[in-house]
Amino acid sequence: MTLGVDIGGTFTDFVLFQDNKLIIHKLLSTRQDPSTALLRGVEEMGVGAEVDVVHGSTVATNAILEKQGARTALITTKGFRDVLEIGRQVRPKLYDFMVQREPPLVPRRWRFEISERVDYTGRALQSPPEPEMLELADKLKEENIESVAVCFLFSFLNPSHEQAVQRLLKQRWPQGIVSLSSEVLPEYREYERTSTVAVNAYVAPIISRYIHRLEEALNRNLRIMQSSGGSISSTMAIQQPVRSILSGPAGGVVGAFKAACEAGCPRVITLDMGGTSTDVSLCPGRIPEATEASIGGYPIRVPVIDIHTVGAGGGSIARLDAGGALRVGPESAGSEPGPVCYGQGEEITVTDANLMLGRLDPAHFLGGRMTLDITRMEGYMQALAERMDTDEVGAAQGIIRVANSNMVRAIRRISVERGFDPREFTLLAFGGAGPLHACELADEMSIPQVLVPPYPGVLSALGMVMADVVKDYSLTIMMPERELSLDRLGQLFAPLEMQAIADMEAQGFPRERMALSRFLDMRYQGQSYELTVDFESRGEAGQKEEPSRDVIHRFHQAHLQRFGHSDPTQPIEIVNMRLKAVGLVEQPQLQPEPTSQGSPDKARLGSKKVVFQGESWDTGLYDRDSLRHGHQVAGPAIIFQLDSTTVIPPHWVGRIDAFRNIVLCRKQ
C-alpha cells in the first residue's frame, strides 16, 4: 500500500491505493510549514504504519526562489572562484539593456580556492595541501557555514582530490554538510557542474531537517519524488536534494502518461493547471526527459522531465498595469489569503473569474466541503470592472482570455516550436483548474481531443504512487565517431551498471525487478550542445564490431526533429554516457468498467446559466461519481467532483470510457 502526497501552492493532495481502490483527499496547503498539512492529512485518512509514503516536495524550490537556503561555501580549484559569476554568455532577455542576473547563491567571500590540479586526462598533478584545508575548516566554523560545495576542475575524471578534501573537512568540521561535484554531477562543463553542486549544497541542510522531521513524525518508509519522474529513498534525497527540486510537476506527467496509455492515446500534451502555475509537457509516445533545467535563474544539470511552466493558475492575480492593460499572474494568491471567493483574499484571481461566469458553483466546490463566497467576489469584481470600463462579466471574460493566452503560448512552445503538430495529439487536462480551461485551449490550438482522467485534481499525487524507483548515472567520455564501437561502449557502461545493480539491491529490488537503460549525449563536432539518444548494444561482449549505425541514424533524426536540419556527412562526437536504473514497483491495476445500460440523467444535478463566448447558455450540471462507462454528456455542461470541475462548452461532447476518463471531442 502506498500513499502519494503532492504539496501545491494552494492544496495538498493525497492518493492512497489500497485493496485495488483509490482513496483521495485534499487539504489547503500550509505555507509556513508544508509538512503541517501533510501530517494532518495522513492523520485524517487514518493511514496505518504499514503504508509507504511517496512525497513530492517544493521545500527546496521555495528555498531557492525565496533565497532562504543555508549559509553555503564553495571550495574550488585555484583561479576558478568566480566561475559562478562569470557563467555563460547567455542573456535571459536578449534585447533588455537593463536585465539583471540573479546574484550567485554563494557570495564571493565564501568562495575559497585550493592549490590542487588534475589535468585533462585525469592525472593528478598537485594534491590539496593539508595545512590549507585545516585552515579553511577553521574559517568555515568561524563564518558559521552550514554546507559546503566542492568542485574541482577535472574531478569528473579523477575524484580523489574532492574525496580527500571531504575527509579532511569532516575531521575538523564534523557538523557540516559536504557536497562533491564528482558525486552529484561527474560531467564536464565547469560552470554547470559548479552551479549544480552549489544548488545542492544550498538546499541540503533544509531538506535534511525537513525529511528527518517527517520521518520522525510519520514513523514509516518515506520516498521522495525526483524531477526525472522516479522516486528515491529519503537517504538519497538528503544527499542529493538537487534531484528532487522539480518533483511535483514530474509526478503529474508520470500519472498523466500512464492514464493516456490506458486510454489508448499515448501521444499527449499534458496540461497541469493548479493554483499557482500551469505545467505543460509533450509526450510523443514516451515521457520526455531533458538533462538540464533552471530554477530561479540558476542552472542545474540533472535529469528532469521536460516541462514548461507559466504563471497561470487558479490563484493567479488579475491586475491592471501602469498602461491600463490587463495582466494575469505570475503572482498568485495561493492558499493564504487565497482567491477573493475563499473569504480572505483581497485581489481578484482566475478562480473568481470562473465563478463569475458560472463555471464554478458555490455549493459544489471541493465536493461541497468548501462553500465559495460569490457575494464577496462580485463586490471586488465590480471594482475591477469599473477600472476596466466594462461590466463584471466582461472583466471575468477578459481574465480568462488572458490566462488562456498564457497557456496557449506554453503549449505552442513545446509543440509547434519543436517541430510537433498539436493536431496529432490529445490534450490531457488535470490539476484542480485544468479541466475548466482545456476545451477552450484545444480550440485555440486545433487539438482534436481532450482527455480528463478520473481524478484530475490529484493526478500528481497518483503519479507518485505509480512512480518506479529510479537512479541516474552519467560519465563524460568525449568519444569521436571513428572510435565508436559496441565493445568499447560496453566496457565503459559496465562499471556504471555494476554500481546501479548494487544500489538497487540495497533498496530491496531483486535483479528481475530492475530495468537498465543506456543513453548517449551526442553532437556534431564543434557544437556546444548535445542531444540525448537511446542506445542499446546489439552485439555480444567481446565482439569487434563496426560502430552502430542505428544510434548514429537516431541522432540525425533527433537533430532534424529538434532543429529542422541535419547533416549526415558531418562527424559526430559522443560527449556523455547515461544509465537509468529503474526498480519496478507494484503498479495499481485499475480494472476496466463494463458498459452501463443506464442513462446519464441519473447523474444530472440540475441546470443554470453559464457564460460562453459572451453569451449566457442554459447549462446542465452533473455529478461525475454517478457517470458510468458509455454515458455521453453534450455541452454546454459542467461536471462536478471532489478534486476538480470539468467544463464542456456548447460545441463539445464528452463520453465516459472504460477507465472512467472523460473523452471530449467537438460535436460533428
Side-chain angles (χ1 to χ4, degrees):
M1 295 181 289
T2 304
L3 175 68
V5 185
D6 175 44
I7 298 180
T10 305
F11 285 99
T12 296
D13 304 328
F14 303 82
V15 172
L16 175 66
F17 185 72
Q18 186 175 22
D19 299 330
N20 219 31
K21 293 182 180 179
L22 290 176
I23 303 169
I24 69 172
H25 189 51
K26 288 179 80 77
L27 289 174
L28 285 171
S29 296
T30 46
R31 180 174 293 182
Q32 294 300 319
D33 183 359
S35 64
T36 301
L38 187 157
L39 296 173
R40 185 190 305 156
V42 171
E43 181 180 353
E44 290 180 1
M45 294 184 74
V47 177
E50 72 280 3
V51 176
D52 293 348
V53 176
V54 185
H55 173 31
S57 171
T58 58
V59 172
T61 308
N62 294 339
I64 295 170
L65 296 178
E66 299 169 6
K67 304 294 191 298
Q68 297 296 317
R71 291 169 67 89
T72 305
L74 171 68
I75 301 175
T76 188
T77 304
K78 190 172 184 179
F80 288 86
R81 70 186 292 194
D82 293 322
V83 162
L84 282 180
E85 290 199 74
I86 295 170
R88 296 288 182 201
Q89 292 297 317
V90 177
R91 294 176 63 89
K93 296 180 180 179
L94 188 59
Y95 300 108
D96 186 353
F97 292 111
M98 307 302 292
V99 66
Q100 295 290 323
R101 289 183 58 192
E102 292 291 332
L105 292 176
V106 183
R108 197 170 194 271
R109 69 180 185 278
W110 292 341
R111 301 200 296 262
F112 305 101
E113 299 177 341
I114 293 296
S115 302
E116 73 81 38
R117 180 65 81 165
V118 171
D119 71 11
Y120 72 99
T121 67
R123 183 167 59 97
L125 301 179
Q126 182 179 1
S127 299
E130 185 170 338
E132 280 189 39
M133 290 309 308
L134 296 178
E135 182 182 348
L136 179 53
D138 293 337
K139 181 71 172 177
L140 296 175
K141 289 192 289 186
E142 290 174 10
E143 293 286 341
N144 294 318
I145 297 297
E146 300 175 77
S147 185
V148 169
V150 183
C151 185
F152 292 152
L153 189 57
F154 286 103
S155 60
F156 62 92
L157 296 175
N158 182 348
S160 61
H161 289 180
E162 288 191 354
Q163 294 165 353
V165 167
Q166 184 180 42
R167 288 193 298 270
L168 286 169
L169 287 178
K170 283 297 184 182
Q171 293 174 11
R172 200 72 163 252
W173 184 58
Q175 76 278 13
I177 295 176
V178 181
S179 299
L180 304 184
S181 72
S182 54
E183 295 178 355
V184 175
L185 183 65
E187 297 178 19
Y188 94 126
R189 288 200 173 102
E190 65 273 12
Y191 170 58
E192 286 78 5
R193 185 156 44 92
T194 305
S195 177
T196 302
V197 74
V199 168
N200 192 82
Y202 187 71
V203 300
I206 295 170
I207 288 294
S208 177
R209 290 192 291 267
Y210 177 76
I211 290 178
H212 283 137
R213 188 166 69 248
L214 273 185
E215 286 180 321
E216 184 177 344
L218 288 170
N219 192 28
R220 68 195 74 213
N221 186 39
L222 175 66
R223 299 203 310 270
I224 303 297
M225 194 69 180
Q226 292 186 96
S227 308
S228 61
S231 62
I232 51 177
S233 67
S234 57
T235 301
M236 179 58 65
I238 290 172
Q239 294 171 356
Q240 297 190 15
V242 70
R243 295 186 179 273
S244 60
I245 282 181
L246 302 172
S247 59
V253 176
V254 170
F257 184 69
K258 289 185 181 293
C261 290
E262 281 184 344
C265 48
R267 289 173 63 84
V268 292
I269 296 173
T270 67
L271 174 81
D272 179 5
M273 184 179 181
T276 304
S277 62
T278 294
D279 304 305
V280 294
S281 182
L282 185 141
C283 302
R286 57 180 174 80
I287 294 178
E289 193 169 294
T291 56
E292 59 184 331
S294 178
I295 178 72
Y298 304 104
I300 54 173
R301 194 166 172 83
V302 293
V304 297
I305 291 181
D306 193 2
I307 298 172
H308 182 59
T309 302
V310 292
S316 293
I317 295 170
R319 69 193 188 285
L320 299 181
D321 65 15
L326 178 63
R327 305 285 184 184
V328 179
E331 297 84 0
S332 174
S335 59
E336 301 170 4
V340 172
C341 60
Y342 283 16
Q344 295 183 355
E346 301 289 337
E347 296 182 276
I348 288 292
T349 67
V350 173
T351 295
D352 297 307
N354 277 311
L355 179 61
M356 185 73 234
L357 298 177
R359 301 177 185 187
L360 290 175
D361 191 84
H364 294 96
F365 190 75
L366 206 61
R369 300 180 187 180
M370 181 175 175
T371 302
L372 301 179
D373 191 338
I374 190 169
T375 303
R376 186 174 190 271
M377 177 275 299
E378 288 174 339
Y380 282 84
M381 188 68 75
Q382 182 180 9
L384 178 62
E386 289 174 355
R387 295 174 59 200
M388 295 173 60
D389 194 23
T390 185
D391 59 16
E392 294 93 325
V393 171
Q397 288 185 113
I399 293 169
I400 298 300
R401 280 197 296 269
V402 172
N404 284 350
S405 68
N406 291 336
M407 290 184 278
V408 164
R409 282 196 296 271
I411 295 172
R412 183 172 287 113
R413 180 167 181 177
I414 64 166
S415 59
V416 177
E417 294 182 13
R418 297 184 181 180
F420 293 99
D421 187 345
R423 294 173 296 184
E424 299 175 355
F425 290 79
T426 294
L427 182 64
L428 196 148
F430 61 104
L436 279 165
H437 297 253
C439 290
E440 291 182 341
L441 298 177
D443 278 334
E444 288 279 345
M445 296 296 299
S446 299
I447 298 173
Q449 180 174 277
V450 172
L451 187 72
V452 180
Y455 302 103
V458 296
L459 193 65
S460 291
L462 178 58
M464 294 171 192
V465 172
M466 295 177 168
D468 294 316
V469 174
V470 176
K471 198 167 187 316
D472 294 281
Y473 306 82
S474 63
L475 179 68
T476 294
I477 58 174
M478 305 299 289
M479 179 185 291
E481 180 183 346
R482 64 179 179 274
E483 297 179 12
L484 175 61
S485 71
L486 300 178
D487 183 51
R488 176 64 177 146
L489 285 174
Q491 292 175 1
L492 293 171
F493 269 115
L496 295 182
E497 291 174 343
M498 291 176 61
Q499 182 64 51
I501 291 170
D503 289 345
M504 284 297 164
E505 287 177 341
Q507 296 199 41
F509 290 96
R511 185 66 183 89
E512 60 270 17
R513 294 195 63 81
M514 298 181 203
L516 304 180
S517 301
R518 297 171 169 183
F519 303 89
L520 299 175
D521 288 352
M522 305 175 71
R523 67 185 182 186
Y524 292 118
Q525 284 188 357
Q527 285 183 326
S528 59
Y529 54 87
E530 301 85 45
L531 292 175
T532 302
V533 179
D534 293 348
F535 173 75
E536 291 299 333
S537 172
R538 291 181 173 82
E540 296 180 0
Q543 248 184 339
K544 300 295 182 183
E545 295 194 19
E546 292 297 317
S548 169
R549 305 311 304 175
D550 285 340
V551 70
I552 294 172
H553 176 70
R554 285 198 293 272
F555 168 74
H556 291 309
Q557 290 297 109
H559 201 281
L560 179 64
Q561 172 73 57
R562 179 66 181 87
F563 301 108
H565 65 92
S566 64
D567 188 351
T569 66
Q570 289 296 313
I572 292 171
E573 184 176 37
I574 299 174
V575 178
N576 301 309
M577 305 167 54
R578 298 189 183 278
L579 180 73
K580 182 179 289 293
V582 180
L584 302 172
V585 302
E586 186 177 351
Q587 295 287 336
Q589 298 298 322
L590 302 179
Q591 299 302 315
E593 196 178 74
T595 303
S596 173
Q597 302 301 317
S599 166
D601 291 342
K602 294 181 180 179
R604 191 176 174 96
L605 302 172
S607 64
K608 71 171 184 175
K609 295 292 184 180
V610 178
V611 177
F612 294 98
Q613 298 296 325
E615 297 182 27
S616 183
W617 293 71
D618 190 39
T619 302
L621 308 179
Y622 293 84
D623 172 31
R624 183 162 187 180
D625 291 340
S626 301
L627 292 172
R628 294 291 180 265
H629 177 205
H631 286 169
Q632 286 200 8
V633 177
I638 298 177
I639 301 176
F640 300 112
Q641 63 188 101
L642 168 65
D643 54 312
S644 188
T645 298
T646 301
V647 171
I648 306 178
H651 54 291
W652 286 73
V653 62
R655 63 175 176 83
I656 309 301
D657 72 5
F659 291 97
R660 304 286 299 279
N661 299 298
I662 305 175
V663 183
L664 296 156
C665 300
R666 294 177 187 83
K667 293 179 182 177
Q668 299 299 319

